[in-house]
């Protein structure tokens, strides 16, 4: 599970837990801990971790028992400083350094995300999820329309609840991922995954990440038809939406969906899903890799079953009626040609060429960004080697590329795979 960024908001524990500062009571103009922490919130919102850490370190120096300052310092170090120091600051929120463990889920989540031991991560995630679920249960018991926190309007309270549900889902899905990866050989893995996904569905039954986790669990249980129905249902909900549509799931969730669609040989659906991700972030290594892999699988599927390639409907020989503007008709014909041709009409050779284009780009991005996922790097190199042996040349996106030297592409041997 990726680390979540801090978005210039106070920690869930609030300032009520902190002793009141007295540093600013005298005539001195030196900033007190509270003003330093307020400034740090602004800096963190700007991702200026280095300066935020300096402000927060000073605040904690002034008030060592300031829980908000200590927590924010730990988060800032984790996000943009020294992770080990960040964990130490967060651990100071717990006994014996504090009278009692934190009542907010945030410290547990950050400690879980930064834990190297899966069992330790599970422990923190479990506690954090339980805190949130108890809070949600208490709020639900008050009835709809009741504001759980004084000073919050009903719409603000709904936003807070939605954020809490999303946080609970992240905890539960992260625990599922641990059981399905690091602890997959444990006897209790399947039962724990089933229990966790049931809890997650209870918290947010329509959440995309929860449903993707459910599909992964069903696949691991060899219940492929159920898993396929889940991912197809998700695809149907987002099909046809334009890139940057705010109603689209997050980019990582869409890439996860694309991977699972490919597991079910739903190549065209996967390509459609990847398209929005690639247009939103053309430098995303995983998206470029998945596009290349999807085109490759589509090509192999057509070679095995040529009927998968849908023939383009024959062009009409009808002539324009007298008096019509032929220039307009020519434009319409071009538009019709584009409408009639799509990925489903492409031959295996064309799909291989598209695969080569995307994978060459993947290799460049992988090397330039020093991308950490060695699996993607190795598989990309393997696919490119196979395509080169087939004599495949990458597809050219537009005329500008075609005018470039050597047809606008580099030899695969010139692309360094770190």
């Amino acid at each position: 599970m990726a680390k979540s960024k801090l978005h210039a908001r106070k920690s869930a524990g609030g300032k009520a837990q902190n002793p009141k500062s007295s540093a600013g009571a005298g005539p001195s103009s030196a900033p007190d801990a509270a003003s330093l922490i307020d400034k740090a919130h602004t800096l963190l919102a700007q991702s200026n971790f280095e300066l935020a850490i300096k402000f927060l370190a000073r605040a904690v120096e002034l008030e060592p028992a300031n829980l908000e300052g200590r927590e924010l310092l730990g988060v800032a170090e984790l996000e943009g400083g020294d992770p080990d120091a960040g964990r130490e600051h967060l651990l100071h929120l717990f006994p014996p350094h504090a009278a009692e463990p934190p009542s907010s889920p945030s410290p547990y989540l950050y400690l879980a995300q930064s834990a190297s031991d899966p069992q330790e991560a599970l422990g923190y995630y479990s506690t954090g999820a339980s805190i949130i679920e108890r809070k949600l249960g208490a709020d639900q018991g008050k009835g709809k329309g009741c504001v759980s926190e004084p000073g919050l309007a009903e719409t603000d309270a709904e936003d807070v609840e939605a954020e809490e549900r999303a946080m609970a889902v992240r905890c539960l899905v992260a625990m599922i991922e641990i059981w399905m990866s690091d602890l997959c050989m444990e006897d209790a893995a399947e039962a724990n995954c089933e229990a966790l996904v049931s809890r997650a569905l209870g918290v947010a039954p329509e959440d995309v990440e929860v449903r993707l986790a459910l599909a992964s669990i069903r696949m691991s249980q060899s219940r492929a038809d159920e898993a396929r129905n889940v991912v197809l249902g998700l695809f149907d909900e987002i099909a046809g939406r334009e890139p940057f549509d705010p109603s689209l799931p997050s980019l990582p969730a869409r890439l996860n969906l694309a991977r699972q669609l490919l597991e079910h040989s739903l190549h065209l659906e996967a390509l459609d899903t990847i398209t929005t991700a690639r247009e939103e972030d053309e430098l995303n290594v995983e998206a470029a890799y998945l596009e290349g892999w999807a085109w490759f699988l589509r090509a192999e599927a057509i070679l095995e079953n040529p009927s998968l390639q849908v023939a383009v409907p024959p062009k009409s020989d009808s002539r324009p009626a007298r008096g019509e503007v032929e220039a307009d008709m020519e434009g319409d014909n071009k538009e019709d040609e584009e409408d009639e041709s799509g990925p489903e009409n492409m031959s295996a050779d064309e799909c291989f060429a598209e695969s080569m284009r995307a994978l060459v780009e993947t290799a460049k991005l992988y090397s330039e960004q020093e991308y950490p996922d060695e699996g993607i790097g190795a598989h990309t190199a393997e696919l490119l080697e196979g395509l080169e042996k087939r004599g495949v040349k990458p597809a050219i996106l537009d005329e500008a590329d075609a005018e470039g030297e050597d047809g606008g592409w580099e030899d695969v041997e010139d692309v360094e795979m770190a």
Side-chain angles (χ1 to χ4, degrees), residues 359-381:
L359 291 170
V360 166
E361 185 177 358
T362 302
K364 291 179 181 178
L365 294 172
Y366 184 96
S367 177
E368 291 169 358
Q369 299 178 22
E370 298 182 356
Y371 198 68
D373 190 328
E374 295 180 0
I376 285 180
H379 193 212
T380 298

Side-chain angles (χ1 to χ4, degrees), residues 170-289:
R170 289 197 295 271
C171 288
L172 295 167
V173 169
M175 293 166 71
I176 291 170
E177 291 173 352
I178 291 172
W179 281 111
M180 294 189 70
S181 55
D182 298 287
L183 303 178
C184 63
M185 302 305 293
E186 298 286 334
D187 293 337
E190 182 177 353
N192 285 331
C193 285
E194 198 68 44
L196 288 167
V197 80
S198 295
R199 284 170 63 186
L201 287 167
V203 171
E206 298 302 317
D207 186 89
V208 172
E209 292 190 23
V210 174
R211 293 158 69 187
L212 287 169
L214 175 63
S216 293
I217 292 169
R218 294 294 174 260
M219 276 295 285
S220 71
Q221 296 169 331
S222 300
R223 295 159 67 176
D225 289 343
E226 294 179 45
R228 188 177 189 274
N229 289 337
V230 173
V231 295
L232 266 180
L234 283 167
F235 171 76
D236 289 341
E237 291 175 12
I238 67 172
R241 297 185 192 175
E242 295 296 321
F244 302 101
D245 186 329
S247 65
L248 281 170
S250 68
L251 193 147
R254 274 176 277 157
L255 296 182
N256 185 354
L257 174 59
R259 282 182 178 273
Q260 296 203 41
L261 287 165
L262 291 176
E263 287 185 33
H264 297 281
S265 299
L266 297 167
H267 310 129
L268 297 178
E269 290 82 356
L271 283 165
D272 188 79
T273 303
I274 295 165
T275 296
T276 60
R278 294 235 57 200
E279 291 193 33
E280 290 178 9
D281 185 359
E282 61 184 11
L283 301 181
N284 188 291
V285 175
E286 184 181 2
Y289 159 73

Side-chain angles (χ1 to χ4, degrees), residues 13-292:
K15 291 187 178 180
Q17 300 180 34
N18 301 322
K20 189 173 182 179
S21 172
S22 58
S28 173
S29 60
D32 59 12
S35 62
L36 290 167
I37 291 170
D38 285 341
K39 179 61 177 175
H41 275 293
T42 302
L43 293 168
L44 289 171
Q46 300 167 351
S47 296
N48 189 343
F49 298 108
E50 183 178 357
L51 190 54
I53 289 169
K54 292 180 179 179
F55 275 80
L56 291 166
R58 177 58 178 157
V60 170
E61 182 182 344
L62 289 172
E63 293 184 8
N66 190 304
L67 301 184
E68 182 186 13
R70 180 75 67 177
E71 180 178 344
L72 283 176
L73 180 55
V75 171
E77 290 281 14
L78 283 176
E79 297 282 15
D82 181 347
D84 291 334
R87 284 183 61 84
E88 282 300 316
H89 285 299
L90 291 175
L91 289 171
H92 268 72
L93 302 174
F94 294 78
H97 309 287
E100 56 186 23
S103 59
S104 71
S106 178
Y108 299 94
L109 269 60
Y110 278 105
L111 286 168
Q113 291 166 358
S114 59
S116 58
D117 178 70
Q119 291 289 359
E120 180 189 4
L122 279 176
Y124 284 125
Y125 276 130
S126 180
T127 303
S130 296
I131 290 172
I132 302 167
E133 287 174 302
R134 284 197 298 271
K135 175 73 162 49
L136 289 170
D139 291 346
Q140 197 169 27
K142 296 176 182 178
K144 188 174 181 179
C146 292
V147 178
S148 60
E149 296 184 33
L152 281 181
E154 184 175 341
T155 53
D156 293 333
E158 290 174 355
D159 290 342
V160 170
E161 180 181 339
E163 184 178 346
E164 288 173 343
R165 289 187 183 277
M167 195 183 300
V169 161
R170 289 197 295 271
C171 288
L172 295 167
V173 169
M175 293 166 71
I176 291 170
E177 291 173 352
I178 291 172
W179 281 111
M180 294 189 70
S181 55
D182 298 287
L183 303 178
C184 63
M185 302 305 293
E186 298 286 334
D187 293 337
E190 182 177 353
N192 285 331
C193 285
E194 198 68 44
L196 288 167
V197 80
S198 295
R199 284 170 63 186
L201 287 167
V203 171
E206 298 302 317
D207 186 89
V208 172
E209 292 190 23
V210 174
R211 293 158 69 187
L212 287 169
L214 175 63
S216 293
I217 292 169
R218 294 294 174 260
M219 276 295 285
S220 71
Q221 296 169 331
S222 300
R223 295 159 67 176
D225 289 343
E226 294 179 45
R228 188 177 189 274
N229 289 337
V230 173
V231 295
L232 266 180
L234 283 167
F235 171 76
D236 289 341
E237 291 175 12
I238 67 172
R241 297 185 192 175
E242 295 296 321
F244 302 101
D245 186 329
S247 65
L248 281 170
S250 68
L251 193 147
R254 274 176 277 157
L255 296 182
N256 185 354
L257 174 59
R259 282 182 178 273
Q260 296 203 41
L261 287 165
L262 291 176
E263 287 185 33
H264 297 281
S265 299
L266 297 167
H267 310 129
L268 297 178
E269 290 82 356
L271 283 165
D272 188 79
T273 303
I274 295 165
T275 296
T276 60
R278 294 235 57 200
E279 291 193 33
E280 290 178 9
D281 185 359
E282 61 184 11
L283 301 181
N284 188 291
V285 175
E286 184 181 2
Y289 159 73
L290 286 174
E291 183 190 4

Side-chain angles (χ1 to χ4, degrees), residues 335-388:
E335 188 174 322
D336 289 343
E337 286 179 18
E338 291 177 359
D339 291 342
E340 290 168 357
S341 180
E344 69 276 7
N345 309 122
M346 294 171 65
S347 67
D349 287 345
E350 290 173 316
C351 291
F352 277 132
E354 291 291 345
S355 176
M356 184 74 150
R357 169 192 57 75
L359 291 170
V360 166
E361 185 177 358
T362 302
K364 291 179 181 178
L365 294 172
Y366 184 96
S367 177
E368 291 169 358
Q369 299 178 22
E370 298 182 356
Y371 198 68
D373 190 328
E374 295 180 0
I376 285 180
H379 193 212
T380 298
E382 178 186 343
L383 292 171
L384 284 171
E385 182 180 2
L387 289 168
E388 219 181 23

